Amino acid sequence: VIIEVLESQVKPVQCWGRYFKRVDKSNRQMTDDDITRLVLDKVGSTWDEIAEIRAKLADISAEKLSMFRALCNEKRRRIIPARDSHKAVLEKLGLLKNGKPLRAAMLLFAKEPQRWYPSASLKIGRFRPGGIIVDDKEVGGTIFEQIDGAMDYFREHLQTRFEFKGTPSRDVIWEYPLEALREAVTNAICHRDYLDVSQTQIRWYDDKILMV
C-alpha cells in the first residue's frame, strides 16, 4: 500500500494540538522559538525586521544616534545632513515601521537595549586547561558598545611584542591581529540568533578564541 501525502503550503502543521520536527531518527516537539523561526522564514522576514510594539521613539538615545550620524559623515560612507531629524534618519535607514522602531533600531540605538532583550549582551570568558575560568566579563549596551567593550578587553589582556624595522619608531605586534578580532566580534554579535535566550559568548583559551 502506498500513501502519498502532498506537502502542505501552510506551515507548521498542527498535530494533536502540538507541532513537531524531525531530528535525526526521532520526532521532537517544536519550541516557541522553532515555530517563530519557521513563520518568519515563511514570510521572508527576520527577527530584527519586526517593529518593537512596546517601544516608542523616546526609547531611542539621541546621544547614541548623534554619535552614529557624526561617524557616518566622518567616514563619508553615507552623508547624513544635519537638517534631518533623528526620526527622518531612522526612516531613511529603514529602522521605523508605522512610527515604531524596529528591533534592529533598539539593538543599535536604544537607551537600555537589555531592558527589552535581556539576553542581547556579550559574555567573555578566559579559560585555562581543564575548563577553569580565570576571568570573565559581561558587556551590555548597544551593538556598538558591545563591540567596543570586547575590543577594550582584548587590548587590556592580549600579549604584545615590538618589532623595529630600521626606523626610530617601533611596530606593536599583537597576540591576535586587532582588525581580525574586531571583524570576528562584529560577526558574532550581528549575525547571532536573537531568538536564542543565551548571550553572545567569547571563549578565550590558551590556543584559540571561539565566538558563539
Side-chain angles (χ1 to χ4, degrees):
V1 176
I2 298 176
I3 300 177
E4 182 178 351
V5 180
L6 298 178
E7 182 177 351
S8 174
Q9 298 301 309
V10 180
K11 301 175 183 177
V13 178
Q14 193 179 90
C15 179
W16 296 308
R18 294 176 292 175
Y19 299 93
F20 296 87
K21 64 179 180 179
R22 191 71 173 173
V23 179
D24 295 328
K25 296 181 180 180
S26 62
N27 295 323
R28 297 184 184 178
Q29 186 172 346
M30 298 176 68
T31 65
D32 291 342
D33 289 345
D34 291 331
I35 297 171
T36 301
R37 290 187 186 94
L38 188 59
V39 172
L40 288 175
D41 182 64
K42 182 68 176 179
V43 299
S45 184
T46 58
W47 179 89
D48 55 300
E49 292 177 320
I50 298 174
E52 181 49 73
I53 59 174
R54 302 171 295 170
K56 49 186 180 295
L57 279 177
D59 294 308
I60 297 293
S61 169
E63 179 183 359
K64 295 175 183 179
L65 188 51
S66 294
M67 291 174 62
F68 173 78
R69 296 176 62 160
L71 185 62
C72 285
N73 290 331
E74 177 185 337
K75 299 297 183 181
R76 305 191 68 80
R77 291 188 176 181
R78 180 164 190 161
I79 303 300
I80 301 178
R83 65 177 179 274
D84 286 356
S85 66
H86 285 336
K87 181 180 179 181
V89 171
L90 290 173
E91 288 175 338
K92 288 182 179 180
L93 293 173
L95 294 174
L96 282 184
K97 183 179 291 185
N98 298 324
K100 290 287 186 180
L102 301 189
R103 289 171 174 170
M106 302 300 290
L107 291 173
L108 292 167
F109 306 118
K111 296 175 182 177
E112 302 176 69
Q114 282 69 49
R115 171 191 168 193
W116 308 94
Y117 319 115
S119 63
S121 59
L122 175 67
K123 186 80 170 181
I124 306 174
R126 184 75 169 92
F127 293 84
R128 294 297 186 194
I132 299 173
I133 302 177
V134 295
D135 185 39
D136 69 302
K137 181 177 183 180
E138 185 170 343
V139 185
T142 65
I143 285 178
F144 299 116
E145 291 167 332
Q146 290 178 44
I147 295 171
D148 289 341
M151 295 309 299
D152 288 342
Y153 180 87
F154 282 128
R155 290 189 184 93
E156 292 174 5
H157 294 82
L158 284 173
Q159 298 183 36
T160 58
R161 60 184 174 85
F162 301 103
E163 284 188 357
F164 296 88
K165 298 181 178 179
T167 62
S169 61
R170 61 185 183 182
D171 294 333
V172 179
I173 308 300
W174 294 86
E175 183 180 357
Y176 289 93
L178 294 183
E179 295 82 2
L181 281 176
R182 187 175 186 87
E183 181 72 16
V185 171
T186 300
N187 286 335
I189 294 175
C190 293
H191 297 299
R192 61 159 286 182
D193 182 358
Y194 279 93
L195 282 170
D196 193 332
V197 296
S198 62
Q199 300 164 304
T200 307
Q201 297 181 30
I202 298 178
R203 302 171 186 171
W204 183 1
Y205 300 90
D206 288 346
D207 60 343
K208 61 190 173 186
I209 297 178
L210 299 179
M211 303 190 187
V212 295

